[in-house]
């Protein structure tokens, strides 16, 4: 994920001029997202009281927290095909829309391991964004595999479950700029969740470390990394619908070993999970950047390494 | 096949028949290890027999000791297929009408583990591990 960092002096001038307005927009956005989460929580709490959760089946927690992943690894013998899209929208100026879709196959060969792999498709619609070339393209962008190991399992006496996951990815289209590159990413995560109320209320926590190596078509290759963590809360309002909210704190570095810090951001938003049938479900999430900073650029959000909004939509079918 | 050429290409001091023998030996060792592991699981496992009839498990409440692997043997007496499934046991298996299915489960910690027929929301049961 290359940055679209500008020449420092230009950025500072633009940043100072836009800073007040950006801060107002960011504050307003933060209040809006918080209000939405609060309304969703109140509504869902009311609906949740109406049903008795003790008769519900246990739920697979992996996809109930939005961008935050739960500890679930599926059931031994289970196979699943999914389409998982992430859209990123909004930079400081111009128009910016980029999506990356995983066409994936998941299977669980044992009661402790899950394996996923698939292809990546990407779209980019970028116009007038400083530091990025205008793009309007659809491409098959790369491939990935994911290995998940359930390190600590939940039981009726232990509400905490923890899964360790690694996801090597190769891309030929840069996910931020849409430029032709050779990019290797090695996402490492800890996915933990806690059942706070039996069959009803869950908390999710992720830790993320994502080093990358990118070789552009022209110019020097470079390393970078994203690190961070998230917390999420999800309430099962009826047996097949889960509503919640999540917050992410992300830091970006221009080095894989986390030595060259360039900026950070906080993203916040609601999440939704719907089980259509015992074998099919969807998951959706929206995160808005409510706070951010760019080192050396006094503006209110970090739109250099991150974006104003990101949206996730996933459909899955098990067999 | 030209064995000398095969040696030259690989630069190894092993003839092709010897290499094949080594691969076969390795495959045999792996197969033996798997069979032994399977036999060992079968020896140690606690067997729980369930029947599935008229859309219900019989018995629906079962128990087993902690820290021992468990083998569920499910006999489906109904005229249509059922799927034995459990999120907490992390297993699922379709058992066709009139047949028997075996589901092996890891050694479990004490607690209550629910199971159900994924095709029939009313068919429920639970395993208590003590």
């Amino acid at each position: 994920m290359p940055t679209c960092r500008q020449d420092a002096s230009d950025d500072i001038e633009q940043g100072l001029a836009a800073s007040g307005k950006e801060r107002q927009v960011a504050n307003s956005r933060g209040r809006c997202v918080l209000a939405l989460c609060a309304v969703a929580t109140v509504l869902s709490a009311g609906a949740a009281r109406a049903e008795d959760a003790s008769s519900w089946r246990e739920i697979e927690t992996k996809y109930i927290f939005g961008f935050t992943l739960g500890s679930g690894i599926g059931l031994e013998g289970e196979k699943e095909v999914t389409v998982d899209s992430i859209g990123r929208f909004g930079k400081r100026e111009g128009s910016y829309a980029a999506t990356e879709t995983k066409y994936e196959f998941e299977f669980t060969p044992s009661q402790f391991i899950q394996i996923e792999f698939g292809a990546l498709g990407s779209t980019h619609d970028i116009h007038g964004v400083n530091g990025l070339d205008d793009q309007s393209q659809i491409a098959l962008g790369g491939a990935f595999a994911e290995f998940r190991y359930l390190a600590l399992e939940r039981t009726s006496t232990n509400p905490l479950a923890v899964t360790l996951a690694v996801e090597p990815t190769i891309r030929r289209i840069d996910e931020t700029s849409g430029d032709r590159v050779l990019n290797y990413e090695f996402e490492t995560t800890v996915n933990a969740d806690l059942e706070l109320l039996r069959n009803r209320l869950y908390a999710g926590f992720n830790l993320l470390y994502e080093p990358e190596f990118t070789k552009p078509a022209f110019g020097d290759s470079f390393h970078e990394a994203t690190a961070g963590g998230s917390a999420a809360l999800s309430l099962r309002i009826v047996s097949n619908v889960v509503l919640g909210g999540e917050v992410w704190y992300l830091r970006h570095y221009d080095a894989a070993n986390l030595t060259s810090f360039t900026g950070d951001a906080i993203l916040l938003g609601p999440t939704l999970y719907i089980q259509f049938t015992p074998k099919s479900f969807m998951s959706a999430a929206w995160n808005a950047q409510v706070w951010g900073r760019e080192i050396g650029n006094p503006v209110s959000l970090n739109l250099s390494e991150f974006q104003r909004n990101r949206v996730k939509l996933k459909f899955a079918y098990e067999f | 096949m030209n064995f000398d050429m095969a040696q030259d290409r690989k630069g190894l001091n092993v003839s092709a028949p010897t290499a094949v023998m080594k691969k076969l030996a390795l495959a045999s060792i792996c197969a033996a290890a798997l069979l032994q592991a399977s036999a060992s699981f079968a020896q140690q496992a606690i067997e729980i027999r369930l029947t599935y009839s008229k859309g219900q498990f019989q018995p629906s409440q079962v128990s087993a000791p902690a820290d021992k692997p468990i083998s569920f043997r499910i006999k489906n007496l109904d005229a249509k297929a059922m799927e034995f499934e459990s999120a907490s046991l992390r297993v699922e298996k379709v058992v066709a009408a009139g047949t028997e299915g075996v589901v092996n489960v890891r050694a479990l910690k004490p607690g209550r583990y629910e199971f159900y027929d994924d095709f029939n929301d009313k068919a429920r049961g639970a395993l208590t591990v003590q």
Side-chain angles (χ1 to χ4, degrees):
Chain A
M1 188 172 68
T3 69
C4 56
R5 188 172 295 281
Q6 303 305 297
D7 176 72
S9 59
D10 287 352
D11 259 4
I12 289 170
E13 278 178 28
Q14 286 176 8
L16 286 171
S19 182
K21 191 177 171 190
E22 290 281 358
R23 193 164 288 118
Q24 279 184 339
V25 170
N27 288 341
S28 159
R29 182 185 303 274
R31 280 196 294 273
C32 183
V33 173
L34 276 172
L36 197 65
C37 290
V39 168
T41 306
V42 169
L43 285 176
S44 53
R49 275 196 296 275
E51 274 205 57
D52 175 19
S54 62
S55 63
W56 295 347
R57 286 183 188 176
E58 295 155 338
I59 197 167
E60 171 76 26
T61 55
K62 186 176 175 186
Y63 297 118
I64 66 171
F65 300 111
F67 286 90
T68 303
L69 282 184
S71 65
I73 58 159
L75 312 177
E76 186 181 277
E78 186 179 78
K79 300 174 189 73
E80 189 175 290
V81 286
T82 75
V83 178
D84 187 352
S85 283
I86 291 179
R88 297 180 171 87
F89 307 96
K91 291 290 187 185
R92 200 167 302 284
E93 62 292 298
S95 72
Y96 179 86
T99 70
E100 187 171 80
T101 302
K102 287 179 176 174
Y103 303 96
E104 66 184 65
F105 174 71
E106 294 183 10
F107 66 102
T108 305
S110 87
Q111 288 158 36
F112 290 94
I113 291 169
Q114 185 176 51
I115 299 172
E116 308 174 11
F117 59 87
L120 298 173
S122 65
T123 68
H124 289 87
D125 189 13
I126 305 170
H127 297 282
V129 178
N130 284 339
L132 298 178
D133 292 337
D134 286 358
Q135 300 269 8
S136 188
Q137 66 174 12
I138 299 173
L140 195 62
F144 75 99
E146 184 174 359
F147 304 92
R148 295 168 59 78
Y149 170 69
L150 181 66
L152 179 65
E153 62 180 318
R154 184 174 3 263
T155 65
S156 53
T157 53
N158 166 38
L160 178 69
V162 180
T163 291
L164 310 176
V166 293
E167 184 179 334
T169 300
I170 181 168
R171 292 185 182 88
R172 63 185 194 88
I173 302 291
D174 184 80
E175 64 177 327
T176 302
S177 67
D179 292 340
R180 193 165 283 269
V181 295
L182 187 57
N183 168 263
Y184 299 100
E185 180 185 291
F186 195 81
E187 183 184 287
T188 309
T189 57
V190 178
N191 311 139
D193 55 49
L194 197 60
E195 189 178 44
L196 298 171
L197 290 174
R198 175 87 181 134
N199 276 346
R200 179 72 86 179
L201 184 65
Y202 303 85
F205 307 95
N206 280 183
L207 288 175
L208 167 76
Y209 170 59
E210 187 183 276
E212 289 181 57
F213 169 79
T214 304
K215 183 171 173 42
F218 305 101
D220 296 334
S221 56
F222 57 91
H223 291 86
E224 62 185 319
T226 306
S230 72
L233 198 62
S234 287
L235 181 71
R236 204 171 167 190
I237 56 167
V238 289
S239 66
N240 66 328
V241 178
V242 183
L243 275 178
E246 66 179 329
V247 58
W248 274 91
Y249 173 62
L250 294 170
R251 295 170 66 87
H252 183 267
Y253 299 84
D254 273 348
N257 61 1
L258 309 183
T259 52
S260 179
F261 175 57
T262 61
D264 50 359
I266 293 176
L267 296 95
L268 177 72
T271 64
L272 169 70
Y273 171 90
I274 302 174
Q275 182 98 38
F276 296 119
T277 69
K279 300 291 186 195
S280 63
F281 65 86
M282 67 151 286
S283 157
W286 166 49
N287 284 182
Q289 190 180 144
V290 294
W291 179 88
R293 64 178 165 166
E294 298 173 11
I295 298 303
N297 192 8
V299 288
S300 65
L301 295 177
N302 184 338
L303 297 174
S304 191
E305 281 101 14
F306 306 103
Q307 53 289 314
R308 288 183 193 278
N309 296 287
R310 63 176 182 174
V311 175
K312 180 177 183 172
L313 192 58
K314 181 184 184 93
F315 291 92
Y317 179 74
E318 295 161 6
F319 58 96
Chain B
M1 181 190 283
N2 186 335
F3 295 143
D4 292 338
M5 278 177 69
Q7 280 181 37
D8 290 347
R9 270 200 308 271
K10 293 180 180 173
L12 300 171
N13 192 19
V14 181
S15 68
T18 310
V20 171
M21 290 291 282
K22 280 191 170 179
K23 283 178 186 169
L24 280 173
L26 187 64
S28 305
I29 290 166
C30 290
L34 280 173
L35 283 172
Q36 198 171 5
S38 175
S40 168
F41 182 94
Q43 271 183 350
Q44 292 176 2
I46 304 297
E47 188 173 275
I48 295 176
R49 288 179 177 272
L50 299 173
T51 56
Y52 186 79
S53 174
K54 296 175 183 168
Q56 295 295 322
F57 289 105
Q58 281 295 333
S60 61
Q61 304 295 319
V62 291
S63 61
D67 302 322
K68 292 256 185 193
I70 294 165
S71 182
F72 281 94
R73 208 166 264 278
I74 307 116
K75 195 164 191 176
N76 181 5
L77 302 178
D78 275 358
K80 57 181 183 180
M82 59 85 66
E83 184 171 32
F84 179 83
E85 184 170 309
S86 168
S88 50
L89 296 172
R90 296 198 297 282
V91 291
E92 68 169 21
K93 187 175 183 72
V94 174
V95 183
T99 67
E100 189 175 82
V102 177
V103 176
N104 293 321
V105 178
R106 65 201 178 278
L108 296 170
K109 294 184 176 115
R112 188 168 188 274
Y113 299 82
E114 293 174 4
F115 55 82
Y116 41 84
D117 171 10
D118 202 28
F119 301 154
N120 171 14
D121 202 38
K122 289 176 182 163
R124 304 282 190 93
L127 164 71
T128 303
V129 175
Q130 294 159 330

